[in-house]
Amino acid sequence: MMFQRLLLLFIGIPLVEILILIRLGEIMGFWPTVGLVIGTGILGAWLARLYGWTLWMEVQHELQLGRMPTDKMVDGLLVLVGGIVLLTPGLLTDITGFLLLIPASRKLIKQWLKKKFESYIISVTHDENEIFRG
């Protein structure tokens, strides 16, 4: 199952990105398409730096108050991933990157990830209990 996901990630997504860029180039023209890719990359890098710096300051503040900034650290990881994804040319990756950078959508993604991790932990714990009982 993991192999199929990695195959989709490393072959399927870039292939779809290329097809979208070719089609967009046919509609808008070559240079506007290149400009769009470069523009989203520059905007994404600026936003990643802005949000990354803001989150860094919030983490430092939480640490000064003696609290573990786990929520802010998850935000920081998502911003980092969003910034990296924005450096990859393509519209799907740009949309994903921007969603990871925007605080409102990042909050929804964080909630979804939390549910995924909780269900994973429950299934692993259940499997371990079955092994010890078995």
Side-chain angles (χ1 to χ4, degrees):
M1 184 66 171
M2 182 61 97
F3 178 74
Q4 287 94 356
R5 289 182 183 171
L6 287 174
L7 195 62
L8 175 67
L9 182 67
F10 290 116
I11 295 175
I13 292 174
L15 184 60
V16 170
E17 291 281 18
I18 290 169
L19 293 173
I20 290 172
L21 287 173
I22 290 171
R23 183 68 179 129
L24 194 61
E26 291 172 351
I27 294 169
M28 292 177 43
F30 177 78
W31 290 112
T33 303
V34 169
L36 180 66
V37 170
I38 291 170
T40 56
I42 291 170
L43 178 61
W46 180 76
L47 286 173
R49 182 175 178 226
L50 175 70
Y51 288 131
W53 180 252
T54 302
L55 284 168
W56 175 255
M57 298 305 289
E58 290 174 5
V59 166
Q60 293 299 314
H61 180 71
E62 291 287 317
L63 288 172
Q64 288 174 351
L65 295 175
R67 295 191 293 231
M68 186 59 155
T70 53
D71 198 46
K72 299 296 180 193
M73 292 172 79
V74 172
D75 276 324
L77 179 62
L78 293 175
V79 167
L80 176 66
V81 170
I84 291 169
V85 169
L86 276 164
L87 293 175
T88 306
L91 295 181
L92 294 178
T93 52
D94 286 349
I95 291 168
T96 304
F98 283 121
L99 288 174
L100 289 170
L101 291 180
I102 298 168
S105 56
R106 188 172 60 237
K107 182 179 178 183
L108 295 173
I109 293 167
K110 201 167 42 170
Q111 290 171 350
W112 178 79
L113 283 172
K114 183 178 178 184
K115 288 179 184 176
K116 293 292 276 185
F117 282 126
E118 286 172 350
S119 66
Y120 173 75
I121 289 170
I122 289 169
S123 72
V124 168
T125 305
H126 181 270
D127 291 346
E128 286 177 358
N129 289 337
E130 292 295 318
I131 291 171
F132 288 119
R133 280 186 241 168

